[in-house]
Amino acid sequence: MAVSMRDLDPAFTGAGQKAGLEIWRIENFRPAPVPKSSYGNFFMGDSYVILKTTASKSGALRHDIHYWLGKDTSQDEAGTAAVKTVELDAALGGRAVQYREVQGHETAKFLSNFKPCIIPQEGGVASGFKRAEAEEHKTRLFVCKGKHVVHVKEVPFARSSLSHDDIFILDTQSKIFQFNGSNSSIQERAKALEVLQYIKDTYHDGKCEIASIEDGKLMADAESGEFWGLFGGFAPLPRKTATNEDKCFDSYPTKLLCVEKGKAEPVEADSLMRDLLDTNKCYLLDCGLEMFVWMGRNTSLDERRSASGAAEELVRGPDRSKCHIIRVIEGFETVMFRSKFDSWPQTTDVAVSEDGRGKVAALLKRQGVDVKGLLKADPVKEEPQPYIDCTGNLQVWRVNGQEKILLPPSDQSKFYSGDCYIFHYSYPGEDKEEHLIGTWFGKQSVEEERASAISLASKVVESLKFLAAQARIYEGSEPIQFYSIFQSIIVLKGGLSDGYKNYVAEKQVPDETYQEDGVALFRVQGTGPDNMQAIQVDAPNLQSKTQKENVESEQFWDLLGGKSEYPSQKIVRSAESDPRLFSCTFSNGNLKVVEIYNFTQDDLMTEDIFILDCHSDIFVWVGQQVNSKDRMHALTIGEKFIEHDFLMEKLSREASIYIVMEGSEPPFFTRFFSWDSAKSSMHGNSFQRKLTILKNGGTPTLNKPKRRAPVSYGGRSSVPEKSQRSRSMSFSPDRVRVRGRSPAFNALAATFENANARNLSTPPPMVRKLYPKSVTPDSSKLASKSSAIASLTAGFEKPGPARESNIPRSPKMNSGAPKPKPETNNKENSMTTRLETLTIEEDVKEGEAEDEGLPVYPYEHLKTTSSDPITDIDVTKREIYLSSEEFRENFGMAKDAFYKLPKWKQNKLKMALYLF
């Protein structure tokens, strides 16, 4: 499309250069900027052009253009708004989606820009109306419709306007009443309260009383009597009568029309196919409630204006008053438009160049306008963050048929590709201990054991009173939270479960399960020390040789298929996709979704299930008031969402799915919102909660204390009483694993990091072997398993002094005899002391210090698991019998620093070392 200065209205100069809203009103057939202080104020006699610019995480700017037509605007003004919208799109490079908005029938996307609502006022500029002057308060009655966005319409102040199906707001001088029709939903009532709050703040300066009136209560209370008294007393409400607005367009036949010389002619075809659209023409797709205008990339501005005019003519008339006109450009079609076709290719051969934007940018630059937003931005690259505390406790089970087998700490990071695993990670949250229950499916695992894993994991969640988040993870598609918990993993071929063994026998395929005495080749990969993976691959029958970069042998490159370019820099993941929120309805195996635009925490209704689509991860949020049957289908809902691919974004069937329960939202979910944990911990339905907040001046009030998980965090012992322990929460020594980095990759991690530049919130790596070569009395049971992988581990380690850790050792790492403490300089001691000071955030308990004159015993004889335990000691304070040197070596801190910790933290550390 050719671009010239005459196509660019001066009012649009510099538009769309930064994120946010820009609004113009049509005055004398020209767009005039509206002051920001007046955004959201619309007059019934006017037409407006609204530009919404969104900055994506990739760095690009996206544009949506709406033109709003008041019910009393003139046809000339409406036509001008339509034409100016096309011109504005041209000024922005010809990529924006354009929406026609008619007063009273606005799209949800448009209304989401003006939450909680818009209330058009009488008057206009060029339509012969005068704006209403300030006058005494006038009693008004509004009807509110909508579950996610609210359409507000003023109706006559009369009893006949009321109905059982809707919510009404009566605005009087001294009090605002909300009347809830008996057939209205809880969610609609809750959303209407936001409108009530808006009216109170806008027209009463926040100073007036409010009252909620329930349909059917008659004169049961004083406020109901006051409400009905304003209507002359109570009388039965009339039944609702059908109107033109209720006409259903579900059965409206979809028609494709081609626009040539301003006339729309039907396109004859047996089915709607993408091939019917010619890049040199404009088309109309009439779907009843929506009228799409498709504009080919090679069409002129005049042709696009003509097509828009033809669409306006088709929807003119009372029977099409609800119809939305949506204009799309070839190559930038919306999901809704593409879904109307029987066949739409995943990729098209449309040549989308930057020429249009470049020409517009050049024209504007000559006028001294900043054109940064029009030029293509480089993708933003950033290190992904886990948003989860990495110092919690971990349990891992391998699934074997219908059972789960608890793994020892030494095997927690080893996975077989033919098996399924369950993990339970507990970590400190904002004011309680949080839980994440996950399942990991190997690529070669069988379907029966995958189903068993989900069932067993669900029982663990149920034992925690559904207060845990749940994750379904596939091998090769692990999210960053998974690596943050495990730090590093080793994936071995084959499997140990009965399901895998039976599969191998039935299919008569080779059993490739890793053997200790066999030859194994591992591919080591990862972008940093926190997500290293060693994955077993097919081993060639060749002698291993070390290859240094830039001096590789020809044979090395031949085995890889030839030498070619490869990234030499550290791989950094591109910024994640912008999240999108959907409300879900699941019935009879069918899933229906409605997108929530410009979403906030307040859009999450406790009666509903929502999906937060982050492309690589899917979150299924389940409200407290969701019935138990629907709650049990949460994972199925997530799987159905991925299967249907509602956004046509090629979602992977193996994308991670998280199930999040209201009140127990993990930080890696809440980071997508401006989160107020007090709101999610309130009780009652959505309407009751918002009414409570409204009556308390905007502050959430809890009806009772926050619910606590069986294992608590924050001043109380993390170990439940015996009477509270469930079968799934056996507190054997194997359960507790104090999180640091996985030792197998610590030496490798050290090469990526500068010890003096570490974030103090992340524990420094402990340079120790996960699979030691030497056999000690305590490690002899693991020696046979470890020796086969020792060579792999040895390859990761670099010589150098051991680094002192400020967190307790993992119990699996203790050797059979006390080790001499490595010498540390004053600088290291100073850093350790500073780290200890930063981690102590609670009240220091005085009076606990090492008793003098007590005998000193080796750590190996003080453990609860010792084969030769010491007797005649205080078993509640085993740690006091350690020497100062051995205490620091095991606990990572001095005794005096340890006793300044809260008691519950002391016990937690002692449990990790088998001293409690």
Side-chain angles (χ1 to χ4, degrees), residues 117-412:
C117 66
I118 62 171
I119 302 179
Q121 305 173 49
E122 292 185 357
V125 173
S127 304
F129 291 89
K130 294 183 179 179
R131 284 182 172 76
E133 301 294 336
E135 56 184 21
E136 292 185 4
H137 189 278
K138 175 185 176 183
T139 298
R140 297 184 295 173
L141 182 65
F142 300 95
V143 61
C144 301
K145 298 184 179 184
K147 178 179 176 181
H148 303 297
V149 293
V150 188
H151 287 86
V152 180
K153 178 182 179 182
E154 185 175 355
V155 295
F157 174 33
R159 184 189 292 108
S160 59
S161 297
L162 302 176
S163 75
H164 298 295
D165 300 316
D166 299 314
I167 295 101
F168 296 84
I169 294 178
L170 180 61
D171 179 21
T172 71
Q173 185 169 7
S174 59
K175 184 179 286 189
I176 305 174
F177 297 87
Q178 176 167 317
F179 175 81
N180 301 314
S182 57
N183 296 334
S184 62
S185 69
I186 295 296
Q187 298 93 322
E188 289 175 315
R189 299 178 187 188
K191 277 297 176 184
L193 278 177
E194 297 178 7
V195 178
L196 187 151
Q197 177 74 64
Y198 171 79
I199 293 173
K200 178 182 176 181
D201 294 339
T202 304
Y203 301 106
H204 298 267
D205 295 326
K207 300 173 183 178
C208 72
E209 297 181 32
I210 63 171
S212 174
I213 309 299
E214 295 301 319
D215 183 13
K217 280 194 174 182
L218 304 180
M219 307 291 287
D221 55 58
E223 289 183 334
S224 294
E226 184 180 358
F227 173 80
W228 287 112
L230 294 170
F231 291 92
F234 174 78
L237 297 181
R239 289 186 177 183
K240 184 178 180 181
T241 58
T243 64
N244 287 335
E245 293 186 357
D246 301 321
K247 185 177 179 180
C248 180
F249 285 89
D250 291 343
S251 59
Y252 192 94
T254 300
K255 296 181 293 186
L256 181 66
L257 304 99
C258 180
V259 180
E260 293 187 278
K261 297 181 180 180
K263 293 184 178 181
E265 298 294 338
V267 176
E268 300 297 335
D270 295 332
S271 60
L272 282 177
M273 309 290 286
R274 168 62 179 84
D275 295 341
L276 294 173
L277 304 177
D278 185 347
T279 188
N280 299 302
K281 297 180 180 180
C282 293
Y283 295 84
L284 306 182
L285 186 65
D286 189 355
C287 305
L289 281 176
E290 300 96 14
M291 173 75 72
F292 292 94
V293 181
W294 185 89
M295 298 173 280
R297 297 293 299 177
N298 294 334
T299 55
S300 67
L301 188 58
D302 287 337
E303 288 175 319
R304 297 181 182 186
R305 289 170 177 158
S306 178
S308 298
E312 294 279 350
E313 284 293 329
L314 283 177
V315 301
R316 189 166 292 143
D319 59 330
R320 302 295 298 271
S321 61
K322 277 187 170 183
C323 185
H324 297 130
I325 295 179
I326 304 170
R327 300 197 288 250
V328 297
I329 308 295
E330 180 183 9
F332 299 92
E333 297 88 352
T334 64
V335 173
M336 184 182 295
F337 176 82
R338 286 180 281 152
S339 67
K340 303 294 183 182
F341 284 74
D342 299 317
S343 175
W344 191 278
Q346 292 285 0
T347 57
T348 56
D349 298 328
V350 179
V352 179
S353 68
E354 294 293 321
D355 291 347
R357 286 192 171 194
K359 291 177 181 178
V360 173
L363 291 172
L364 295 177
K365 193 172 182 180
R366 288 200 296 267
Q367 295 183 341
V369 178
D370 181 10
V371 295
K372 181 179 179 181
L374 283 179
L375 300 177
K376 185 176 181 180
D378 293 329
V380 176
K381 293 185 177 181
E382 58 184 19
E383 285 281 9
Q385 299 299 320
Y387 295 94
I388 190 171
D389 190 291
C390 301
T391 61
N393 301 324
L394 178 66
Q395 273 185 297
V396 183
W397 295 268
R398 178 170 50 81
V399 175
N400 189 42
Q402 300 299 315
E403 300 176 344
K404 64 182 192 293
I405 301 172
L406 182 66
L407 301 183
S410 58
D411 290 342
Q412 286 181 342

Side-chain angles (χ1 to χ4, degrees), residues 705-716:
K706 283 188 178 182
R707 299 167 297 137
R708 298 285 176 173
V711 180
S712 61
Y713 175 87
R716 285 195 277 272

